[in-house]
Amino acid sequence: MHKPSLRRTGVALAAVTSLALAATACGGTTKKDVANESGGKAAAAGTADPDAATKKGLTVGFLPKQVNNPYFTTADKGGEKALAELGSSYKEVGPSSATDTSGQVSYVNTLTQQQVDAMAVSAQDPGALCTALKQAMSNGVKVVTYDSDTKPDCRDAFVSQASAEDLGRTEVQLLAGQIGYKGEIAILSAAQTATNQNTWIGYMKDELKDPKYKDMKLVEIAYGNDDAQQSFQQTQGLLQEHPDLKGIISPTTVGIKAAAQYLSGSKYKGKVKLTGLGTPNDMRKYVKNGTVEAFELWDPAKLGDLAARTAVALASGQITGKEGETFKAGSTSYTIGKDGVISLGKPTVFDARNIDRFDF
Ligand code: RAM
């Protein structure tokens, strides 16, 4: 049974976790001589050489927020496939909980000690990994964040799934349409420290300031920590505490699936609307049984693919992560934007009409 205090406990625990990590951000490393490798001279000097050959035989370590999350399994497989195509090696390490920030720090240190050429990291917390990531970079390891960013000076580039602003605003727009622009709404997020979810929520709040949403009210943000059971209980708690709730936005694949599962077996099915970010394979049955009308996402495999190709382009010296640099990833050319951000493209909205065309 959910008790209101459960949610508050989750929040308190998250705060403790992020304080605890300051003590763990250390680790011995071996100096790596990047300047001796072809293409490394330009990169070491901080200038990109777009004509440098793509290096082979590199090792790229993927460090997702959470290893047993199907979203990251798909994303990282995309990275593995791209690396195989490029003649480089893939490895994956990472915590099983999305609130284990100190675990993530240790994994960064491990990858640095193992002298990987690059790492692709989805950050559980924007600042927690900074010391470890900076140490990695000073040892010649190229650092790409994907999915969830750290601070811009703590990595070389961020591969973003879509514009954060678009994602935040469109989730509000989707829900507003489903509830007729009227009523109480709540957000069921992932970890309280998650950079990506918090950025999207910031844009959701901003979108809600538009007078067209004057009859909608955001009554609570709950945190399910990308854990199925916690997310399920948080959904139950939201409905108990807010009997007039009309809709929920869950910007996490774990959260939206658990919320759909709860709603689908309750009297709220089809009455309380649910949207957010989910995978078509997780959400198909809830779209078909009338629990969910529409939700959105990008293709996680394409995100992993682009993260891997960005890591290799950095390690080959073709880019350094500066705004305006361009590189080829597969058949597509990407230009690095402000703060070293590379954007994958636009998300897709899934509903009953198109969901069967997607398999991920
Ligand atoms: C979860 C994770 C991930 C996020 C997706 C939408 O799997 O929180 O970081 O991008 O949902």
Short mmCIF file of all heavy atoms in Angstrom, two decimals, residues 65-66 69-72 98 122-123 146-148 161 167 171 189-191 194-197 200 225-226 250-256 276-279 282 296-298 300 303, ligand 1:
data_model
loop_
_atom_site.label_atom_id
_atom_site.label_comp_id
_atom_site.label_asym_id
_atom_site.label_seq_id
_atom_site.Cartn_x
_atom_site.Cartn_y
_atom_site.Cartn_z
N LYS A 65 22.78 5.15 -17.32
CA LYS A 65 22.28 5.45 -15.97
C LYS A 65 22.04 4.16 -15.22
O LYS A 65 22.19 4.09 -14.02
CB LYS A 65 20.90 6.13 -16.09
CG LYS A 65 20.86 7.59 -16.24
CD LYS A 65 19.36 7.95 -16.24
CE LYS A 65 19.10 9.39 -16.39
NZ LYS A 65 17.65 9.65 -16.50
N GLN A 66 21.62 3.14 -15.96
CA GLN A 66 21.10 1.92 -15.33
C GLN A 66 21.20 0.78 -16.35
O GLN A 66 20.65 0.89 -17.44
CB GLN A 66 19.63 2.22 -15.03
CG GLN A 66 18.89 1.28 -14.17
CD GLN A 66 17.43 1.72 -14.08
OE1 GLN A 66 16.89 2.39 -14.97
NE2 GLN A 66 16.77 1.31 -13.03
N ASN A 69 17.81 -1.52 -17.61
CA ASN A 69 16.68 -0.75 -18.12
C ASN A 69 16.61 -1.02 -19.62
O ASN A 69 17.56 -0.73 -20.34
CB ASN A 69 16.96 0.74 -17.80
CG ASN A 69 15.94 1.68 -18.38
OD1 ASN A 69 15.25 1.37 -19.35
ND2 ASN A 69 15.87 2.87 -17.79
N PRO A 70 15.50 -1.58 -20.12
CA PRO A 70 15.41 -1.97 -21.54
C PRO A 70 15.74 -0.82 -22.50
O PRO A 70 16.26 -1.04 -23.59
CB PRO A 70 13.96 -2.41 -21.70
CG PRO A 70 13.49 -2.73 -20.33
CD PRO A 70 14.28 -1.89 -19.37
N TYR A 71 15.41 0.40 -22.08
CA TYR A 71 15.74 1.56 -22.92
C TYR A 71 17.24 1.62 -23.18
O TYR A 71 17.70 1.81 -24.32
CB TYR A 71 15.25 2.84 -22.21
CG TYR A 71 15.82 4.11 -22.77
CD1 TYR A 71 15.25 4.73 -23.88
CD2 TYR A 71 16.95 4.70 -22.19
CE1 TYR A 71 15.79 5.90 -24.39
CE2 TYR A 71 17.49 5.86 -22.69
CZ TYR A 71 16.91 6.46 -23.80
OH TYR A 71 17.46 7.61 -24.30
N PHE A 72 18.03 1.42 -22.12
CA PHE A 72 19.49 1.49 -22.28
C PHE A 72 20.03 0.24 -22.96
O PHE A 72 21.07 0.30 -23.63
CB PHE A 72 20.18 1.73 -20.93
CG PHE A 72 20.04 3.15 -20.47
CD1 PHE A 72 19.25 3.46 -19.38
CD2 PHE A 72 20.67 4.18 -21.16
CE1 PHE A 72 19.10 4.78 -18.97
CE2 PHE A 72 20.51 5.50 -20.76
CZ PHE A 72 19.73 5.80 -19.66
N ALA A 98 19.03 3.49 -10.81
CA ALA A 98 19.16 4.83 -11.41
C ALA A 98 19.45 5.90 -10.36
O ALA A 98 19.50 7.08 -10.68
CB ALA A 98 17.90 5.18 -12.19
N SER A 122 25.57 8.28 -19.65
CA SER A 122 24.29 8.92 -19.38
C SER A 122 24.27 9.26 -17.88
O SER A 122 24.23 8.35 -17.05
CB SER A 122 23.12 7.99 -19.74
OG SER A 122 21.92 8.57 -19.28
N ALA A 123 24.32 10.54 -17.56
CA ALA A 123 24.56 10.95 -16.17
C ALA A 123 23.30 10.90 -15.31
O ALA A 123 22.26 11.45 -15.67
CB ALA A 123 25.13 12.37 -16.15
N TYR A 146 25.44 10.98 -23.40
CA TYR A 146 24.30 10.73 -24.27
C TYR A 146 23.10 10.55 -23.34
O TYR A 146 23.25 10.20 -22.18
CB TYR A 146 24.51 9.49 -25.15
CG TYR A 146 24.48 8.16 -24.42
CD1 TYR A 146 23.47 7.23 -24.66
CD2 TYR A 146 25.45 7.82 -23.49
CE1 TYR A 146 23.44 6.00 -23.99
CE2 TYR A 146 25.43 6.60 -22.81
CZ TYR A 146 24.42 5.70 -23.07
OH TYR A 146 24.40 4.50 -22.40
N ASP A 147 21.92 10.87 -23.82
CA ASP A 147 20.67 10.72 -23.05
C ASP A 147 20.53 11.71 -21.90
O ASP A 147 19.56 12.43 -21.83
CB ASP A 147 20.54 9.27 -22.55
CG ASP A 147 19.27 9.09 -21.73
OD1 ASP A 147 18.19 9.16 -22.31
OD2 ASP A 147 19.37 8.92 -20.50
N SER A 148 21.49 11.77 -20.99
CA SER A 148 21.39 12.66 -19.83
C SER A 148 22.77 13.28 -19.60
O SER A 148 23.75 12.57 -19.39
CB SER A 148 20.94 11.84 -18.61
OG SER A 148 20.78 12.68 -17.49
N GLN A 161 19.04 13.41 -27.51
CA GLN A 161 18.04 12.61 -28.21
C GLN A 161 17.13 13.47 -29.09
O GLN A 161 16.59 13.01 -30.08
CB GLN A 161 17.19 11.82 -27.22
CG GLN A 161 16.74 12.54 -25.97
CD GLN A 161 17.78 12.50 -24.88
OE1 GLN A 161 18.82 13.13 -25.00
NE2 GLN A 161 17.52 11.78 -23.81
N LEU A 167 10.81 18.49 -26.37
CA LEU A 167 10.28 17.34 -25.62
C LEU A 167 9.40 17.80 -24.46
O LEU A 167 8.30 17.28 -24.27
CB LEU A 167 11.42 16.47 -25.08
CG LEU A 167 12.13 15.59 -26.12
CD1 LEU A 167 13.37 14.95 -25.51
CD2 LEU A 167 11.20 14.50 -26.64
N GLU A 171 5.15 17.33 -24.59
CA GLU A 171 4.46 16.43 -23.66
C GLU A 171 3.26 17.14 -23.01
O GLU A 171 2.19 16.55 -22.84
CB GLU A 171 5.44 15.89 -22.62
CG GLU A 171 6.35 14.83 -23.22
CD GLU A 171 7.48 14.45 -22.30
OE1 GLU A 171 7.22 13.78 -21.30
OE2 GLU A 171 8.63 14.85 -22.57
N SER A 189 8.21 11.36 -12.51
CA SER A 189 9.55 11.44 -13.10
C SER A 189 10.39 10.22 -12.73
O SER A 189 9.88 9.23 -12.18
CB SER A 189 10.22 12.74 -12.67
OG SER A 189 11.40 12.95 -13.43
N ALA A 190 11.68 10.31 -13.01
CA ALA A 190 12.63 9.22 -12.72
C ALA A 190 13.33 9.56 -11.41
O ALA A 190 12.68 9.74 -10.39
CB ALA A 190 13.59 9.08 -13.89
N ALA A 191 14.67 9.68 -11.41
CA ALA A 191 15.37 10.08 -10.18
C ALA A 191 15.27 11.60 -10.02
O ALA A 191 15.19 12.33 -11.01
CB ALA A 191 16.83 9.66 -10.27
N ALA A 194 18.02 13.47 -11.96
CA ALA A 194 18.26 13.19 -13.38
C ALA A 194 18.30 14.47 -14.22
O ALA A 194 17.31 15.21 -14.27
CB ALA A 194 17.20 12.25 -13.91
N THR A 195 19.42 14.70 -14.89
CA THR A 195 19.57 15.93 -15.68
C THR A 195 18.51 16.02 -16.77
O THR A 195 17.91 17.07 -16.97
CB THR A 195 20.94 15.97 -16.37
OG1 THR A 195 21.91 15.33 -15.57
CG2 THR A 195 21.35 17.38 -16.70
N ASN A 196 18.33 14.90 -17.49
CA ASN A 196 17.41 14.98 -18.64
C ASN A 196 15.98 15.23 -18.18
O ASN A 196 15.33 16.18 -18.63
CB ASN A 196 17.53 13.74 -19.54
CG ASN A 196 17.43 12.41 -18.83
OD1 ASN A 196 17.51 12.31 -17.61
ND2 ASN A 196 17.27 11.34 -19.60
N GLN A 197 15.47 14.44 -17.25
CA GLN A 197 14.09 14.64 -16.80
C GLN A 197 13.89 16.05 -16.22
O GLN A 197 12.89 16.70 -16.49
CB GLN A 197 13.71 13.59 -15.75
CG GLN A 197 13.10 12.32 -16.36
CD GLN A 197 14.13 11.27 -16.72
OE1 GLN A 197 15.29 11.38 -16.34
NE2 GLN A 197 13.73 10.26 -17.47
N TRP A 200 13.60 18.63 -18.96
CA TRP A 200 12.29 18.56 -19.63
C TRP A 200 11.20 19.13 -18.72
O TRP A 200 10.32 19.85 -19.19
CB TRP A 200 11.95 17.10 -19.99
CG TRP A 200 12.95 16.44 -20.88
CD1 TRP A 200 13.73 17.06 -21.84
CD2 TRP A 200 13.33 15.05 -20.90
NE1 TRP A 200 14.55 16.14 -22.44
CE2 TRP A 200 14.33 14.91 -21.90
CE3 TRP A 200 12.93 13.93 -20.20
CZ2 TRP A 200 14.92 13.67 -22.19
CZ3 TRP A 200 13.50 12.70 -20.50
CH2 TRP A 200 14.49 12.58 -21.48
N ASN A 225 12.09 6.90 -9.58
CA ASN A 225 13.49 6.45 -9.62
C ASN A 225 13.79 5.41 -10.69
O ASN A 225 14.71 4.61 -10.54
CB ASN A 225 13.91 5.92 -8.25
CG ASN A 225 13.98 7.04 -7.23
OD1 ASN A 225 14.28 8.18 -7.59
ND2 ASN A 225 13.68 6.74 -5.98
N ASP A 226 13.02 5.42 -11.77
CA ASP A 226 13.21 4.43 -12.85
C ASP A 226 13.21 3.01 -12.29
O ASP A 226 13.94 2.13 -12.77
CB ASP A 226 14.47 4.73 -13.68
CG ASP A 226 14.18 5.72 -14.80
OD1 ASP A 226 12.99 5.97 -15.07
OD2 ASP A 226 15.14 6.25 -15.40
N SER A 250 4.61 11.22 -17.75
CA SER A 250 5.76 10.49 -17.22
C SER A 250 6.88 10.49 -18.25
O SER A 250 6.84 9.73 -19.23
CB SER A 250 5.36 9.06 -16.83
OG SER A 250 6.45 8.45 -16.17
N PRO A 251 7.89 11.35 -18.05
CA PRO A 251 8.96 11.47 -19.06
C PRO A 251 10.06 10.44 -18.86
O PRO A 251 11.24 10.75 -18.94
CB PRO A 251 9.47 12.90 -18.83
CG PRO A 251 9.28 13.12 -17.36
CD PRO A 251 8.07 12.31 -16.95
N THR A 252 9.69 9.22 -18.60
CA THR A 252 10.64 8.12 -18.43
C THR A 252 10.00 6.83 -18.89
O THR A 252 8.83 6.58 -18.57
CB THR A 252 11.11 7.96 -16.96
OG1 THR A 252 11.02 6.57 -16.59
CG2 THR A 252 10.27 8.73 -15.98
N THR A 253 10.75 6.02 -19.60
CA THR A 253 10.18 4.78 -20.16
C THR A 253 9.76 3.82 -19.05
O THR A 253 8.78 3.09 -19.19
CB THR A 253 11.21 4.07 -21.07
OG1 THR A 253 12.40 3.82 -20.32
CG2 THR A 253 11.55 4.91 -22.28
N VAL A 254 10.49 3.84 -17.93
CA VAL A 254 10.13 2.95 -16.81
C VAL A 254 8.87 3.46 -16.13
O VAL A 254 7.94 2.71 -15.83
CB VAL A 254 11.29 2.85 -15.80
CG1 VAL A 254 10.92 1.94 -14.64
CG2 VAL A 254 12.56 2.35 -16.47
N GLY A 255 8.82 4.78 -15.91
CA GLY A 255 7.68 5.40 -15.23
C GLY A 255 6.39 5.26 -16.02
O GLY A 255 5.36 4.84 -15.46
N ILE A 256 6.43 5.57 -17.30
CA ILE A 256 5.18 5.56 -18.08
C ILE A 256 4.62 4.13 -18.18
O ILE A 256 3.41 3.91 -18.12
CB ILE A 256 5.36 6.20 -19.49
CG1 ILE A 256 4.01 6.54 -20.11
CG2 ILE A 256 6.18 5.34 -20.41
CD1 ILE A 256 4.10 7.31 -21.42
N GLY A 276 3.76 10.86 -22.16
CA GLY A 276 5.15 11.02 -21.74
C GLY A 276 6.06 10.31 -22.73
O GLY A 276 5.77 10.27 -23.94
N LEU A 277 7.13 9.73 -22.21
CA LEU A 277 8.13 9.09 -23.07
C LEU A 277 8.16 7.60 -22.81
O LEU A 277 8.48 7.16 -21.70
CB LEU A 277 9.52 9.69 -22.78
CG LEU A 277 9.63 11.22 -22.90
CD1 LEU A 277 11.02 11.68 -22.52
CD2 LEU A 277 9.27 11.68 -24.31
N GLY A 278 7.81 6.81 -23.81
CA GLY A 278 7.80 5.36 -23.64
C GLY A 278 8.25 4.67 -24.90
O GLY A 278 8.34 5.29 -25.97
N THR A 279 8.56 3.38 -24.80
CA THR A 279 8.91 2.65 -26.03
C THR A 279 7.64 2.02 -26.59
O THR A 279 6.77 1.56 -25.84
CB THR A 279 9.96 1.54 -25.78
OG1 THR A 279 9.35 0.47 -25.05
CG2 THR A 279 11.17 2.04 -25.02
N ASP A 282 6.86 -1.44 -25.11
CA ASP A 282 6.30 -1.42 -23.75
C ASP A 282 4.85 -0.95 -23.74
O ASP A 282 4.04 -1.40 -22.93
CB ASP A 282 7.07 -0.40 -22.87
CG ASP A 282 8.36 -0.95 -22.31
OD1 ASP A 282 8.59 -2.17 -22.39
OD2 ASP A 282 9.16 -0.13 -21.79
N GLU A 296 5.41 9.75 -26.75
CA GLU A 296 6.47 9.95 -27.75
C GLU A 296 7.81 9.37 -27.32
O GLU A 296 8.01 8.99 -26.16
CB GLU A 296 6.59 11.43 -28.12
CG GLU A 296 6.92 12.35 -26.97
CD GLU A 296 6.94 13.83 -27.37
OE1 GLU A 296 7.30 14.17 -28.51
OE2 GLU A 296 6.61 14.65 -26.50
N LEU A 297 8.72 9.28 -28.24
CA LEU A 297 10.10 8.88 -27.98
C LEU A 297 10.90 8.98 -29.28
O LEU A 297 10.34 9.13 -30.37
CB LEU A 297 10.19 7.43 -27.45
CG LEU A 297 11.50 7.07 -26.74
CD1 LEU A 297 11.63 7.76 -25.39
CD2 LEU A 297 11.67 5.56 -26.52
N TRP A 298 12.20 8.92 -29.14
CA TRP A 298 13.14 8.79 -30.25
C TRP A 298 13.50 7.32 -30.33
O TRP A 298 13.12 6.54 -29.44
CB TRP A 298 14.37 9.66 -29.98
CG TRP A 298 14.91 9.38 -28.60
CD1 TRP A 298 15.87 8.49 -28.25
CD2 TRP A 298 14.45 9.96 -27.37
NE1 TRP A 298 16.04 8.47 -26.89
CE2 TRP A 298 15.18 9.36 -26.32
CE3 TRP A 298 13.47 10.92 -27.04
CZ2 TRP A 298 14.98 9.69 -24.98
CZ3 TRP A 298 13.28 11.24 -25.70
CH2 TRP A 298 14.03 10.64 -24.70
N PRO A 300 15.96 4.72 -29.41
CA PRO A 300 17.14 4.64 -28.54
C PRO A 300 18.37 4.04 -29.24
O PRO A 300 19.50 4.46 -28.97
CB PRO A 300 16.70 3.71 -27.39
CG PRO A 300 15.22 3.61 -27.49
CD PRO A 300 14.82 3.96 -28.87
N LEU A 303 20.22 6.66 -30.95
CA LEU A 303 20.95 7.51 -30.00
C LEU A 303 22.29 6.85 -29.63
O LEU A 303 23.34 7.50 -29.62
CB LEU A 303 20.10 7.74 -28.74
CG LEU A 303 20.74 8.64 -27.69
CD1 LEU A 303 20.86 10.08 -28.19
CD2 LEU A 303 19.95 8.61 -26.38
C1 RAM B 1 14.33 6.18 -18.93
C2 RAM B 1 15.60 6.89 -18.50
C3 RAM B 1 16.23 7.64 -19.65
C4 RAM B 1 15.22 8.48 -20.40
C5 RAM B 1 14.09 7.60 -20.88
C6 RAM B 1 13.03 8.40 -21.62
O1 RAM B 1 14.63 4.97 -19.57
O2 RAM B 1 15.28 7.79 -17.46
O3 RAM B 1 17.25 8.48 -19.14
O4 RAM B 1 15.81 9.11 -21.51
O5 RAM B 1 13.50 6.97 -19.75
#
